[in-house]
Amino acid sequence: MESIAKKEVRILGIESSCDETAAAVVLDGRKILSSVVASQIDIHRKYGGVVPELASREHLRQIVPVVREAMEQSGLRFEELDAIGVTQGPGLVGSLLVGITYGKTLAKALGKPLIGVNHLEGHIHAVFLEAHERGEVPKLPAVCLIVSGGHTVLYEVKFAASSSVGSFAYRKLGQTRDDAAGEAYDKVSKLLGLGYPGGPILDRLTAAAGNVAVPVKFGPTKTRGNALDFSFSGLKTAVLYHLREHPEYNAEIQKREKALHAGHRGFEELLPLCGARTLGLVREFQNAVVRDLVERSLAAAEECSVETILVSGGVAANSRLRAVFAERAQAQGLRVFFPGRALSTDNAAMIAAAAYSRFLHGQFADVKLNAMASMPLA
Ligand code: KG4
Ligand code: ZN
């Protein structure tokens, strides 16, 4: 173990769990030598969400050039790698299998170890990767909120008691009972004729809304039982009912749908097609999502008596979420860590970083490594 720990370790990470084909090389679990992400958004956009069959086909097309580019950017040859880390789950089975099969074949051909990585553990490592780049180390134990298009879940993260090289142990504190927060963004965006994915455009429209009048108020979501569970489908339905009760929105929605159809989906193109009522609705929706995410994370931090909150996943890119977390955490003497926007959404650097501690523990996979559609972290 000692001799391994002292040597520089270069891991190639491969990620293909959803609609991003990604590869990255990371040194010692900390320094990103390269990170390449090929997004499939343009392919899935017209369906308003990820189509699994199309995703697998696209991963097949992208995996070889994406890995090749990550290797080229890292300046390393394949033989100089120490291990291959690949996302094992959770995710779309057909998509995961592309990365896993490629990873297995490469590891076998190079005679290097293969490491199966939980995608959610990758998102947690994204926070540490970013903090390390700034020369900071988030203090553990911490509460971690993973919030994306597929997940909204709160964990307690500690150093594993048995670990000599700092691997983590997780306890699940709460999760969404229905939609993930990113999914709610995407569905509301579709209802409003604002395209896919919804998060980035609704985020920017909220910033442009200023203090336009409030067209509708959304109260805090209450969940029976575990107070740290989330629920977003009621909020999405409340938006739907509000739109049905107010046909005044319809003309604008149709104009935006037409614009999207013609390929005009940029913020600058859609903003002039949004009246004050729409901007107010978008702002109130976003405020409600952010309020629920922040309140439950702070409650979890209090329950676990921790001083650190980690936030990761696509929705962690949201500007209001970042601002409200920063403000509330400061008031309560907590520290909140986010990855930068590029490491918040799916990428392979986080997979290579998560593979590093498994490498140090000698936790290697064999040819039987298989995709796991649902793969619990705790
Ligand atoms: O982590 P990710 O890239 O993929 C998975 O779902 O695993 O997250 C994508 C999700 C989408 O639902 C997208 O609408 C949301 O993250 N998203 C955002 C923002 N950027 C992306 N949601 C809110 N605000 C954003 N700025
Ligand atoms: Zn993800």
Side-chain angles (χ1 to χ4, degrees), residues 264-331:
H264 306 306
R265 61 180 69 92
F267 168 73
E268 281 77 14
E269 292 159 306
L270 291 171
L271 179 62
L273 304 179
C274 296
R277 196 184 289 112
T278 299
L279 292 178
L281 172 60
V282 167
R283 183 193 60 206
E284 294 308 310
F285 163 76
Q286 172 153 293
N287 284 352
V289 175
V290 168
R291 179 185 56 214
D292 276 9
L293 293 173
V294 173
E295 291 304 331
R296 281 166 172 70
S297 304
L298 292 175
E302 197 179 334
E303 192 177 301
C304 300
S305 305
V306 302
E307 294 165 20
T308 315
I309 298 179
L310 317 171
V311 189
S312 192
V315 183
N318 187 268
S319 5
R320 180 152 175 89
L321 185 71
R322 286 169 176 256
V324 175
F325 254 126
E327 192 186 307
R328 294 289 305 278
Q330 200 184 21

Side-chain angles (χ1 to χ4, degrees), residues 20 119 123 148-151 182-183 185-186 197-200 203 313-315 317-319 344-346:
E20 258 106 25
H119 180 82
H123 274 301
S148 69
H151 308 277
E183 200 178 347
Y185 266 98
D186 296 338
D203 193 4
V315 183
N318 187 268
S319 5
S344 293
T345 47
D346 288 349

Side-chain angles (χ1 to χ4, degrees), residues 20-337:
E20 258 106 25
T21 320
V25 181
V26 174
L27 175 68
D28 290 340
R30 291 185 172 213
K31 192 170 172 14
I32 301 173
L33 302 182
S34 66
S35 181
V36 177
V37 180
S39 168
Q40 305 178 0
I41 281 180
D42 287 338
I43 289 164
H44 301 289
R45 181 173 274 133
K46 59 175 172 290
Y47 306 99
V50 179
V51 183
E53 290 77 6
L54 296 182
S56 334
R57 201 161 69 194
E58 197 55 20
H59 284 305
L60 270 176
R61 274 166 31 90
Q62 294 288 357
I63 189 88
V64 172
V66 164
V67 170
R68 193 175 291 150
E69 196 179 330
M71 291 307 297
E72 258 167 37
Q73 283 184 18
S74 75
L76 297 175
R77 286 173 289 116
F78 278 111
E79 303 76 53
E80 292 173 287
L81 293 171
D82 294 286
I84 319 290
V86 62
T87 305
Q88 184 180 5
L92 303 169
V93 170
S95 294
L96 287 163
L97 278 173
V98 176
I100 290 174
T101 309
Y102 183 88
K104 265 188 206 174
T105 314
L106 188 60
K108 180 91 184 142
L110 296 172
K112 307 280 179 185
L114 176 71
I115 299 162
V117 174
N118 185 308
H119 180 82
L120 298 173
E121 187 166 36
H123 274 301
I124 293 176
H125 276 268
V127 188
F128 285 85
L129 256 181
E130 186 80 28
H132 286 317
E133 299 253 303
R134 292 194 310 266
E136 289 184 287
V137 185
K139 194 172 156 196
L140 293 185
V143 156
C144 181
L145 170 69
I146 300 177
V147 58
S148 69
H151 308 277
T152 303
V153 54
L154 273 167
Y155 291 103
E156 182 186 32
V157 185
K158 294 181 173 179
F159 284 118
S162 58
S163 164
S164 53
V165 283
S167 59
F168 303 153
Y170 308 98
R171 181 166 68 97
K172 194 193 276 177
L173 303 168
Q175 66 186 331
T176 183
R177 303 241 178 111
D178 38 62
D179 293 350
E183 200 178 347
Y185 266 98
D186 296 338
K187 287 177 176 170
V188 165
S189 182
K190 192 170 183 189
L191 290 175
L192 289 170
L194 286 164
Y196 174 84
I201 182 79
L202 297 189
D203 193 4
R204 294 192 70 185
L205 290 174
T206 301
N211 50 7
V212 293
V214 176
V216 54
K217 272 252 162 248
F218 302 113
T221 313
K222 293 193 183 67
T223 43
R224 282 197 196 151
N226 184 1
L228 298 180
D229 275 351
F230 299 91
S231 168
F232 293 103
S233 75
L235 178 60
K236 170 200 67 191
T237 311
V239 172
L240 175 69
Y241 286 170
H242 175 72
L243 292 176
R244 278 197 194 147
E245 283 158 18
H246 296 271
E248 312 84 277
Y249 286 98
N250 289 350
E252 261 191 23
I253 292 175
Q254 279 161 16
K255 269 193 207 150
R256 291 192 294 266
E257 281 172 346
K258 230 169 146 181
L260 291 177
H261 198 69
H264 306 306
R265 61 180 69 92
F267 168 73
E268 281 77 14
E269 292 159 306
L270 291 171
L271 179 62
L273 304 179
C274 296
R277 196 184 289 112
T278 299
L279 292 178
L281 172 60
V282 167
R283 183 193 60 206
E284 294 308 310
F285 163 76
Q286 172 153 293
N287 284 352
V289 175
V290 168
R291 179 185 56 214
D292 276 9
L293 293 173
V294 173
E295 291 304 331
R296 281 166 172 70
S297 304
L298 292 175
E302 197 179 334
E303 192 177 301
C304 300
S305 305
V306 302
E307 294 165 20
T308 315
I309 298 179
L310 317 171
V311 189
S312 192
V315 183
N318 187 268
S319 5
R320 180 152 175 89
L321 185 71
R322 286 169 176 256
V324 175
F325 254 126
E327 192 186 307
R328 294 289 305 278
Q330 200 184 21
Q332 300 194 17
L334 295 165
R335 289 216 58 198
V336 184
F337 292 85

